[in-house]
Amino acid sequence: MSKKAAVMKGDGIGPEVVDSMLRVLKECNFQSELILCEAGSEQWDKNGRKDASYIPDVTMKILEETDCCFKGPTTTIPVPGAPRSVAVTLRQKFDLYANIRPTKTYDRLTPDRKLDCVCFREATEGLYTGVEAKITDDAAIAIRKITRQGSRRLIDSAVDWANKFNMKKMVAVTKRNILKQTDGIFWDETQKAVEGTDIELSEIYIDNMAQQMVIATEQFNGAVLVSTNLFMDIISELASALVGSIGLIYSANIGDNYAMFEAAHGSAPQFAGQNKVNPTATVLSGAWMADYLGERDVRDAIFAATEQVINEGKAVTWDIGGDASTTQMTDAIITYAKEKLRK
């Protein structure tokens, strides 16, 4: 039977970049079935803000019947009583505990700086559980929940990745000198997970890690970076900046039985409808989804084509030094990807 993926175009620039991704997949003869459905704050607004979630019930039913999903950028409205974000909702609904961001520089964009690493972020606990309590009118606390099970399955997935891609270094990002109990559990489980492997494990505190990423970037080449929810959210964003544009960063949220693929950037409503934003992150996320669904040849062709387009610099968007439209850059990626698939 054909594999199935749900596709939510999202808000702001979401429909434009997701349309680019869908065109690339179609032109590369992608075989799995794609089912379009709605999610995000724009449809929530349109429906009178009456739903408890940004994900309508009909969409959730489709998600439950597919093998994975693609989420275009969505807006989370920062007002009291608004739903939690689409990403957080789906991570918790499908137990997508590993948020993964491969981060690689491009020769043309950062000729003097090379970075090729992958960030593994625990995505279901930590401070992002959202458990808070107001103590007085002037004070509140937030609960940072770290469990052995949550830590271990995240690290196990990172070790699997390291073995699959022959990566020999793992860096655990903690603040264990201060957070002795919670980061103590995370560090214990990281040490256990690499026992018996040839992975070289090191630990760096979050504040020093932020500095080291900037002043000695290349020490992290070939490394799998692992951390708890908030810390790796910060470090993966920093790593993205070192590449040259958040528009280049693709990601996935993967659990034992389901996966959600998405660009790392937001919905950027100020650029919506202008046909100017970088489609790279969304296109590469879609290519990764193709691989997850068993179509590795499609993934390989799209990745190679995108790298060629970016390094040539002839048909790239404004954020990476060009003047091409979203459509023009997408067309260039399609041309090269189809050439590679014919070989």
Side-chain angles (χ1 to χ4, degrees):
M1 291 180 64
S2 172
K3 297 284 184 71
K4 296 180 181 180
V7 177
M8 298 161 282
K9 292 189 177 181
D11 305 316
I13 62 171
E16 297 169 67
V17 290
V18 171
D19 281 346
S20 288
M21 181 269 291
L22 294 174
R23 279 209 302 126
V24 174
L25 290 180
K26 180 181 178 181
E27 293 290 339
C28 290
N29 200 29
F30 177 70
Q31 294 297 301
S32 301
E33 181 182 355
L34 298 174
I35 305 170
L36 296 179
C37 48
E38 288 193 325
S41 64
E42 289 177 14
Q43 64 82 33
W44 185 69
D45 262 337
K46 187 173 67 178
N47 293 328
R49 296 193 172 192
K50 64 181 184 297
D51 297 329
S53 171
Y54 287 132
I55 306 172
D57 291 344
V58 64
T59 295
M60 190 61 80
K61 188 173 188 302
I62 292 170
L63 293 168
E64 291 168 350
E65 295 171 351
T66 53
D67 298 286
C68 65
C69 69
F70 190 97
K71 185 191 78 65
T74 51
T75 302
T76 303
I77 301 175
V79 297
R84 61 175 47 192
S85 76
V86 175
V88 170
T89 300
L90 293 178
R91 284 171 189 152
Q92 297 192 352
K93 162 75 175 176
F94 293 103
D95 206 17
L96 308 179
Y97 54 82
N99 176 257
I100 309 169
R101 282 193 192 181
T103 306
K104 183 177 182 294
T105 51
Y106 294 87
D107 291 342
R108 184 182 65 84
L109 301 181
T110 57
D112 299 322
R113 179 174 62 237
K114 304 302 177 195
L115 178 63
D116 188 356
C117 66
V118 59
C119 300
F120 269 74
R121 169 188 169 196
E122 201 293 317
T124 61
E125 48 185 46
L127 279 171
Y128 283 62
T129 53
V131 179
E132 295 183 294
K134 190 174 182 181
I135 302 172
T136 70
D137 287 343
D138 300 316
I141 59 172
I143 306 299
R144 184 181 195 248
K145 178 186 176 185
I146 304 295
T147 67
R148 290 195 181 278
Q149 179 198 11
S151 301
R152 185 59 183 262
R153 65 185 184 177
L154 183 277
I155 304 301
D156 282 347
S157 66
V159 169
D160 288 344
W161 182 286
N163 290 332
K164 180 179 179 181
F165 294 102
N166 197 33
M167 301 175 79
K168 303 299 184 185
K169 293 189 292 185
M170 180 174 288
V171 179
V173 182
T174 77
K175 190 62 177 172
R176 193 164 54 92
N177 57 333
I178 305 298
L179 301 167
K180 296 180 173 65
Q181 297 296 325
T182 49
D183 272 343
I185 288 174
F186 188 83
W187 177 241
D188 283 349
E189 293 304 313
T190 305
Q191 290 177 295
K192 291 175 186 174
V194 302
E195 285 178 3
T197 73
D198 57 355
I199 297 171
E200 175 191 335
L201 175 64
S202 59
E203 179 187 26
I204 303 182
Y205 294 155
I206 177 66
D207 44 350
N208 187 35
M209 181 69 180
Q211 178 188 208
Q212 292 296 314
M213 287 288 287
V214 175
I215 65 171
T217 305
E218 295 184 11
Q219 68 179 294
F220 301 109
N221 281 336
V224 180
L225 313 182
V226 297
S227 194
T228 50
N229 209 331
L230 176 61
F231 288 171
M232 189 50 71
D233 192 8
I234 294 167
I235 293 302
S236 62
E237 287 287 316
L238 176 53
S240 301
L242 295 171
V243 172
S245 171
I246 190 67
L248 301 169
I249 306 299
Y250 57 102
S251 72
N253 302 267
I254 299 179
D256 292 332
N257 302 302
Y258 202 77
M260 173 181 68
F261 298 87
E262 61 176 337
H265 59 72
S267 58
Q270 70 272 28
F271 297 125
Q274 297 176 33
N275 194 28
K276 65 182 291 184
V277 296
N278 191 340
T280 298
T282 300
V283 168
L284 294 183
S285 299
W288 190 356
M289 180 176 72
D291 187 13
Y292 181 84
L293 293 169
E295 300 186 46
R296 169 59 67 89
D297 57 334
V298 172
R299 180 259 184 213
D300 289 348
I302 295 171
F303 267 68
T306 303
E307 183 165 6
Q308 186 173 346
V309 169
I310 290 171
N311 282 331
E312 282 183 352
K314 297 175 184 176
V316 297
T317 49
W318 62 273
D319 60 307
I320 49 175
D323 57 8
S325 67
T326 305
T327 303
Q328 289 169 330
M329 186 170 180
T330 303
D331 289 342
I333 292 170
I334 288 170
T335 298
Y336 285 140
K338 290 172 73 172
E339 285 178 3
K340 294 175 190 307
L341 283 167
R342 283 194 292 265
K343 290 181 180 177

